[in-house]
Amino acid sequence: MSGTDYADRRQLINRNQIAARGFRDEAFLSAFAKAPRETYVDHRMDGGEVGADDRLLEVGAVTGYAAAVLSRPAGQVHAIKWHEALARQAAARIRELAYDDCEIITGDGLKGLPNEASFDAILVAVRFDSVPDALKR
């Protein structure tokens, strides 16, 4: 698919999914339409590398979206968000949408989840200088 095709798709998403939900801020809509989301997709997750028996950990869960998506091919997803109010919102959304194999936890993701370890894969959506020991275990 060409860059123009992706740009056209971003415009459709903007109109049909974002603006249609009530977002009206032109600066936001413009930025969203220009962000090349297709370059952010990690193709290593494509092709069935996550299986039905896999247990995943997401560190830095923001809205719960990635955890929800990952929970479909995986067996279980635990997601950690340090910001308590955002974690509660994401957890409520996950429960409301009946993602029973997905859990959003308030906590310090850099400490991992030792009581739930080990994991088959860890998705980290935060920045740090080196992988914390807790995530290596």
Side-chain angles (χ1 to χ4, degrees):
M1 188 177 303
S2 74
T4 303
D5 293 334
Y6 281 121
D8 290 344
R9 285 183 178 209
R10 285 193 300 271
Q11 291 298 332
L12 285 173
I13 289 169
N14 241 19
R15 184 181 70 236
N16 296 336
Q17 296 180 17
I18 299 170
R21 288 189 177 109
F23 287 95
R24 299 288 179 246
D25 185 295
E26 286 299 322
F28 172 80
L29 290 170
S30 176
F32 200 92
K34 291 177 184 172
R37 287 180 302 287
E38 65 278 1
T39 64
Y40 292 95
V41 175
D42 187 346
H43 293 286
R44 290 174 295 174
M45 296 298 283
D46 193 16
E49 288 191 28
V50 173
D53 295 326
D54 287 343
R55 299 180 75 252
L56 308 180
L57 173 64
E58 180 191 9
V59 176
V62 180
T63 63
Y65 178 75
V69 169
L70 289 169
S71 74
R72 290 308 184 219
Q76 180 71 37
V77 176
H78 297 275
I80 306 172
K81 177 69 181 164
W82 70 268
H83 191 283
E84 186 174 352
L86 294 178
R88 276 196 317 265
Q89 288 174 351
R93 192 174 300 117
I94 291 295
R95 279 190 308 275
E96 178 183 317
L97 296 172
Y99 284 89
D100 298 330
D101 48 1
C102 183
E103 177 182 33
I104 309 290
I105 302 159
T106 301
D108 183 351
L110 298 182
K111 293 181 180 176
L113 282 178
N115 293 338
E116 297 292 340
S118 71
F119 297 97
D120 297 295
I122 300 174
L123 171 67
V124 180
V126 298
R127 183 182 179 272
F128 41 80
D129 294 325
S130 61
V131 177
D133 287 338
L135 296 181
K136 293 178 186 177
R137 293 186 210 131

